[in-house]
Amino acid sequence: MKTILLIMFVLCIFVCNAQNNSDMIKEPEICGGYRSNNRTVSPIENVKGEVEELYCVFYDGINTYASFLKYELNLDSANFKANISREGCYEPFKFNTENSPNLKKKLSDALKNSGLFKFNNWSVHVNGLPPIVEFFISAKFSTGEKFYMEFNGGRSPRGFEDAVNAFSDEILQLTGYTPEKCNPSKPYVNPFLGRHHFVYSKNGKLQHFDFILENTTGIDNAEVISTGDFGDFHARCNASKVSGRYHFSLNSYYDDSKIKNVSKNSLTGIIYSNAGKLYLEPLQAAPSLTDRTGIAEDK
């Protein structure tokens, strides 16, 4: 009986402590943690000057505006640039015009009349959230005022939607954007697919390499041809992607190959990309070539 009473007493203390601790929690724990959490705004009023610098990104994943998904604006001393993207597989609409007094006045009026200034210094950003509704803006004016606010994950202040919609209306009109001006995205083409020619030329020695990737998956999906001072090699290969590089492993020889002493599954070469250009690391496609330095594709 004493044991039961002791257990009940301990449980009572535990429940009491849990309740007290829960009262101390002001809001749920955020996964990823806050990068910034400032909900105190410092409105700016009666801005007389014109905007001199502006950078703004607005992403609306809820699709409040059916005509666009995201826009990015950048005004500097020389130009005003805007990239506006619509939902789906489309290239962004790009707008670029010279900075001018008339342009600055239109942008300034769009900001001043939108109501965004009342949210100055609002900054609520949680790390690691997928894009939902996000906004970032930084602007400087000729009279010294600075305007800044940002949030992600839809953590906007009350009244933000009406203000940003008013601002977006002016931006779309200023740039002349319509969804029809976004061209369909070009289908992705794997840069490794197809025939790639490489030429080794050093110390009076010359070797030509052709690495032909027919398919990015499967077995026996590539052909390798190597001819020159380091012998003639012609083989079928299994090409597979390893850490972003295509490894070509020997599968079988063609009848015209003069080099046939390389064992099956040996690496004949590796193709990789650097700064948008393909390079070949020559291996058993020319066994006697000991220089393994990457060779740039010859087009």
Side-chain angles (χ1 to χ4, degrees):
M1 184 67 177
K2 290 182 179 179
T3 302
I4 295 174
L5 290 174
L6 179 61
I7 292 173
M8 292 178 65
F9 178 73
V10 171
L11 286 173
C12 183
I13 294 174
F14 177 82
V15 171
C16 182
N17 286 338
Q19 289 175 343
N20 289 337
N21 289 337
S22 66
D23 293 339
M24 298 172 62
I25 300 175
K26 295 182 180 179
E27 62 178 86
E29 182 178 350
I30 299 297
C31 179
Y34 282 107
R35 188 181 79 187
S36 59
N37 189 16
N38 178 43
R39 301 167 192 258
T40 302
V41 297
S42 304
I44 52 178
E45 301 176 351
N46 302 318
V47 177
K48 302 298 183 183
E50 304 292 344
V51 63
E52 298 287 342
E53 297 179 19
L54 170 67
Y55 181 72
C56 177
V57 177
F58 179 37
Y59 177 91
D60 186 4
I62 296 178
N63 206 22
T64 302
Y65 267 78
S67 64
F68 77 90
L69 178 69
K70 175 185 177 180
Y71 60 67
E72 180 178 3
L73 315 174
N74 191 359
L75 172 73
D76 57 27
S77 60
N79 300 96
F80 172 64
K81 298 178 182 179
N83 286 346
I84 307 177
S85 301
R86 61 179 289 188
E87 197 167 21
C89 298
Y90 294 91
E91 299 289 340
F93 167 73
K94 296 182 182 294
F95 179 83
N96 188 351
T97 188
E98 185 179 356
N99 193 344
S100 67
N102 183 52
L103 173 71
K104 286 195 289 188
K105 185 179 187 309
K106 289 182 178 179
L107 285 174
S108 300
D109 289 345
L111 284 168
K112 294 174 185 179
N113 297 332
S114 67
L116 286 171
F117 283 173
K118 62 186 176 184
F119 307 121
N120 185 45
N121 288 339
W122 178 276
S123 179
V124 184
H125 189 108
V126 180
N127 293 322
L129 290 183
I132 303 171
V133 177
E134 301 184 358
F135 188 70
F136 176 93
I137 189 167
S138 176
K140 295 181 181 180
F141 293 83
S142 58
T143 43
E145 294 91 348
K146 295 181 180 180
F147 171 51
Y148 162 78
M149 72 170 292
E150 75 162 320
F151 67 84
N152 75 335
R155 287 168 166 76
S156 59
R158 182 176 298 176
F160 167 80
E161 184 174 335
D162 290 338
V164 78
N165 286 351
F167 179 64
S168 298
D169 282 340
E170 296 299 321
I171 293 301
L172 299 183
Q173 183 175 347
L174 175 62
T175 59
Y177 166 81
T178 62
E180 293 74 25
K181 292 183 179 180
C182 294
N183 296 321
S185 298
K186 295 178 182 178
Y188 173 75
V189 177
N190 189 320
F192 292 93
L193 277 172
R195 189 183 193 109
H196 305 284
H197 186 66
F198 307 87
V199 179
Y200 175 89
S201 179
K202 289 183 181 179
N203 302 320
K205 298 288 186 178
L206 184 66
Q207 191 77 11
H208 291 267
F209 298 93
D210 285 285
F211 277 68
I212 307 163
L213 180 62
E214 299 162 357
N215 200 311
T216 57
T217 59
I219 299 176
D220 196 43
N221 58 342
E223 180 181 355
V224 172
I225 306 169
S226 171
T227 60
D229 292 324
F230 297 94
D232 297 331
F233 178 92
H234 190 186
R236 295 295 302 173
C237 289
N238 303 324
S240 58
K241 196 173 185 179
V242 180
S243 300
R245 299 153 61 97
Y246 270 93
H247 291 218
F248 289 72
S249 300
L250 177 65
N251 187 26
S252 62
Y253 289 102
Y254 282 89
D255 291 339
D256 62 346
S257 182
K258 295 180 180 178
I259 298 174
K260 292 188 176 181
N261 59 343
V262 176
S263 59
K264 188 174 181 179
N265 297 324
S266 295
L267 276 179
T268 62
I270 300 173
I271 295 180
Y272 59 93
S273 178
N274 185 15
K277 193 167 186 178
L278 295 187
Y279 290 81
L280 166 68
E281 181 181 339
L283 297 170
Q284 295 305 307
S288 60
L289 175 58
T290 57
D291 184 356
R292 308 305 188 192
T293 306
I295 306 169
E297 182 176 11
D298 183 52
K299 291 186 176 182

